[in-house]
Amino acid sequence: MSTLSDLVYAQGRSTAEDVEWLHRLAGDGQLLADLAFADIVIWVPTSDDSFIAVAHTRPSGAATLFYRDIVGDAVRPQWRTQVTDAFTQVRVVDSSSPDWFEETPTRVRAVPIVRERAAEGRESRVIGVLTRHTNLGETRTPSRQQITFNDCADDLFGMIASADFPDLTAPTSPRRGVPRASDGLIRLDVDGITTFASPNALSAFNRLGFDDELEGESLMEVATKIMPASRQFDESLPIVMAGRAPWRADVEARGVTVSLRTIPLRENGTRIGAIVLCRDVSEIRHQEQELITKDATIREIHHRVKNNLQTVASLLRIQARRTHSDEGRDALTQAMRRVSAIAVVHDTLSEGLTQSVDFDDVFERVLKLVAEVAAAPNTRARTVKTGTFGTLPSEYATPLALALTELVTNAVEHGLADKEGEVEIIAERDEDRLAVRVRDTGVGLPEGQVGRGLGTQIVRTLIQGELSGTIDWHTLMGSGTEVTIEIPMRYIERARA
């Protein structure tokens, strides 16, 4: 399915700022649908003077009208005039009589999506139309909560038509557990006094320790009463509780955490009150704290493993210096280098917040390690890396780092022995594969030498056995050797998931 951005850009009539605005509005589509008890559809104009649906949200507390996804569909003839009038006349247009959709009576409202108000010498910038489709087939006497929800929806629709909503200064990428209308809704007047509190909102504050009615109370004063005096609170909390800024904050008391989101309401640019959404997120925050603790523990383990590996590498280096046999010294040096390469991966993991690593950073450090250890007195080797490896899960980073260490070391020690040359590492990554080529300008690969050494056997085991990839050695035309590695990306993505 095409994304909102793809559909909007395909029409060739919108800027990047328009797309960002539409994304923000679509992100609040569920809120609008739940407040209006109706389906919400966002339309953008097309090159043939029609409109195409780029987003659709169904209400969670009412019957939907659209059992099939209409994103990507052109506007239906029965709505086209209404949508066109809202777009061209920059006004909210309601259907004059019930509209029948698949034998179901509906009421349609078309709201212009305005990104910039009209200014002196220029018109308002209208970038699309939002339609509300209300199912009239299940009409019943509305409750006070439903009336309040609908009033809030109407206020937001008016703000959409006057470029007051969405607010791009509001925080994006909400934490897990962002409150929804059904979780709890509080309506504030312009002075921050509660004029309505849904039962779920009242229950959330009761769990915090407030045992009275919220209506008629200042939400900020309520928070002051229930929060322990010794506890530090979010600096944005007073602004959120007063309904003055589109922000989020948490209230904590008695072991309970309630997440709040405030949406200031405006009419013609003047603040008239606010909506405060609230949700008990105690269990979610507890789980997040456990994850943070576990993450810190895992990072500490990686740090200690790195320290232990560096100690082992140091012991191997000392032993190599005291070994009189050239063969024994080389074996210990190679073992030291391999241990150090693994330590680099653990060191990187100890610094991050995930179990994935930026392999480009890892490999830069591995190259320095190889350059320090592998180069002989009469060898002058230059290492050059081109392309990007990207992010890899730790279980793939370790064998790949070790395999590339072996290949680059072999290129320096054997391909460029006692001469000057270059080792180039080329990384190419796409959706299907990660390809790496290690190419040197050395003496070339002697016939029949592939697969005889311990290092080559280690590389084969790592690439083919642990990474499910392929590896091939061949001599370049003229001089030098090239090793090609290919790793299927599906294995990497599966491991990351």
Side-chain angles (χ1 to χ4, degrees):
M1 181 185 296
S2 299
T3 64
L4 183 148
S5 300
D6 295 335
L7 290 169
V8 175
Y9 280 128
Q11 313 314 313
R13 300 184 57 169
S14 301
T15 65
E17 290 78 11
D18 296 339
V19 174
E20 171 64 18
W21 192 273
L22 292 170
H23 263 296
R24 286 293 192 101
L25 183 58
D28 276 318
Q30 192 63 60
L31 172 64
L32 295 170
D34 291 345
L35 290 177
F37 296 91
D39 288 88
I40 299 296
V41 184
I42 295 176
W43 309 86
V44 296
T46 62
S47 56
D48 58 354
D49 296 327
S50 183
F51 292 84
I52 186 173
V54 297
H56 170 221
T57 308
R58 296 176 174 86
S60 58
T64 181
L65 287 171
F66 305 102
Y67 295 98
R68 295 178 180 84
D69 198 347
I70 66 170
V71 172
D73 292 353
V75 65
R76 300 196 177 199
Q78 65 206 80
W79 309 321
R80 183 166 180 171
T81 299
Q82 190 177 348
V83 170
T84 301
D85 288 347
F87 185 83
T88 57
Q89 299 174 21
V90 198
R91 65 183 181 90
V92 177
V93 181
D94 288 307
S95 54
S96 56
S97 59
D99 175 73
W100 289 86
F101 179 80
E102 296 183 356
E103 301 182 354
T104 301
T106 67
R107 183 171 61 248
V108 180
R109 167 171 288 188
V111 180
I113 302 173
V114 180
R115 191 169 74 81
E116 294 177 2
R117 291 192 188 93
E120 186 175 352
R122 66 178 184 180
E123 298 179 346
S124 297
R125 178 167 177 76
V126 186
I127 60 176
V129 175
L130 178 147
T131 53
R132 180 191 69 182
H133 303 260
T134 305
N135 187 340
L136 300 179
E138 299 181 355
T139 55
R140 60 182 184 275
T141 303
S143 63
R144 180 170 176 246
Q145 174 170 309
Q146 185 171 349
I147 293 172
T148 303
F149 276 30
N150 283 329
D151 289 343
C152 292
D154 289 341
D155 289 333
L156 292 177
F157 292 146
M159 291 169 61
I160 292 170
S162 61
D164 288 317
F165 189 82
D167 193 326
L168 297 188
T169 64
T172 58
S173 302
R175 296 176 66 183
R176 196 163 59 102
V178 61
R180 301 157 300 189
S182 58
D183 296 320
L185 181 143
I186 299 171
R187 177 74 185 248
L188 303 180
D189 65 14
V190 69
D191 297 317
I193 305 300
T194 304
T195 60
F196 171 83
S198 71
N200 285 345
L202 182 59
S203 295
F205 275 82
N206 287 161
R207 286 190 287 273
L208 287 169
F210 183 74
D211 55 4
D212 204 345
E213 293 294 329
L214 281 173
E215 294 185 18
E217 297 284 345
S218 165
L219 205 59
M220 188 61 239
E221 292 180 2
V222 169
T224 303
K225 292 177 182 178
I226 61 180
M227 291 182 64
S230 59
R231 179 179 291 275
Q232 291 184 342
F233 60 87
D234 192 331
E235 294 180 356
S236 63
L237 185 60
I239 299 176
V240 171
M241 296 293 246
R244 296 182 178 276
W247 213 251
R248 298 187 180 97
D250 287 351
V251 179
E252 297 183 25
R254 300 173 60 180
V256 176
T257 303
V258 173
S259 180
L260 304 175
R261 178 196 175 188
T262 294
I263 304 173
L265 299 176
R266 296 183 177 86
E267 185 175 350
N268 298 321
T270 302
R271 191 169 64 85
I272 60 172
I275 298 170
V276 180
L277 305 175
C278 53
R279 179 180 182 181
D280 186 342
V281 293
S282 304
E283 184 61 29
I284 294 175
R285 294 293 180 262
H286 178 67
Q287 292 172 359
E288 289 178 348
Q289 188 59 47
E290 285 186 340
L291 288 174
I292 292 172
T293 302
K294 290 179 180 178
D295 180 75
T297 302
I298 292 172
R299 287 162 59 191
E300 177 62 21
I301 290 172
H302 282 301
H303 180 71
R304 294 188 181 186
V305 170
K306 181 264 296 184
N307 288 343
N308 291 339
L309 290 173
Q310 287 182 337
T311 300
V312 172
S314 298
L315 293 174
L316 290 171
R317 182 183 296 110
I318 294 171
Q319 189 65 47
R321 289 174 179 171
R322 296 189 177 187
T323 301
H324 300 292
S325 166
D326 292 339
E327 184 178 352
R329 187 184 303 108
D330 290 342
L332 290 170
T333 301
Q334 290 176 11
M336 181 270 297
R337 184 181 62 248
R338 291 163 186 154
V339 171
S340 298
I342 298 173
V344 168
V345 177
H346 284 281
D347 188 30
T348 305
L349 288 168
S350 70
E351 298 171 354
L353 296 176
T354 67
Q355 288 303 294
S356 296
V357 296
D358 180 354
F359 196 77
D360 294 281
D361 177 58
V362 170
F363 190 62
E364 291 291 343
R365 298 168 65 179
V366 168
L367 278 181
K368 293 180 181 178
L369 175 68
V370 172
E372 292 175 359
V373 176
N378 297 326
T379 302
R380 298 181 61 186
R382 297 184 304 275
T383 56
V384 179
K385 170 185 164 292
T386 58
T388 302
F389 290 95
T391 302
L392 297 177
S394 59
E395 57 264 42
Y396 282 75
T398 299
L400 184 58
L402 190 52
L404 292 178
T405 298
E406 293 292 331
L407 293 175
V408 175
T409 301
N410 287 342
V412 174
E413 290 185 341
H414 304 297
L416 301 178
D418 299 326
K419 61 178 296 188
E420 181 177 351
E422 181 178 276
V423 179
E424 183 179 13
I425 303 91
I426 305 166
E428 298 175 350
R429 181 169 177 173
D430 56 31
E431 295 181 356
D432 299 320
R433 68 187 181 106
L434 169 62
V436 185
R437 285 178 289 161
V438 180
R439 176 189 300 165
D440 65 68
T441 58
V443 296
L445 188 68
E447 192 67 30
Q449 291 296 312
V450 177
R452 294 180 57 181
L454 175 61
T456 303
Q457 294 177 22
I458 290 175
V459 171
R460 283 190 186 278
T461 300
L462 293 170
I463 298 300
Q464 297 175 349
E466 297 196 30
L467 300 179
S468 301
T470 60
I471 184 168
D472 179 58
W473 283 262
H474 58 275
T475 301
L476 298 173
M477 293 294 293
S479 65
T481 302
E482 183 177 80
V483 184
T484 303
I485 296 172
E486 287 196 7
I487 303 170
M489 285 298 298
R490 62 180 180 273
Y491 292 104
I492 295 177
E493 296 301 331
R494 189 181 305 161
R496 185 183 301 167

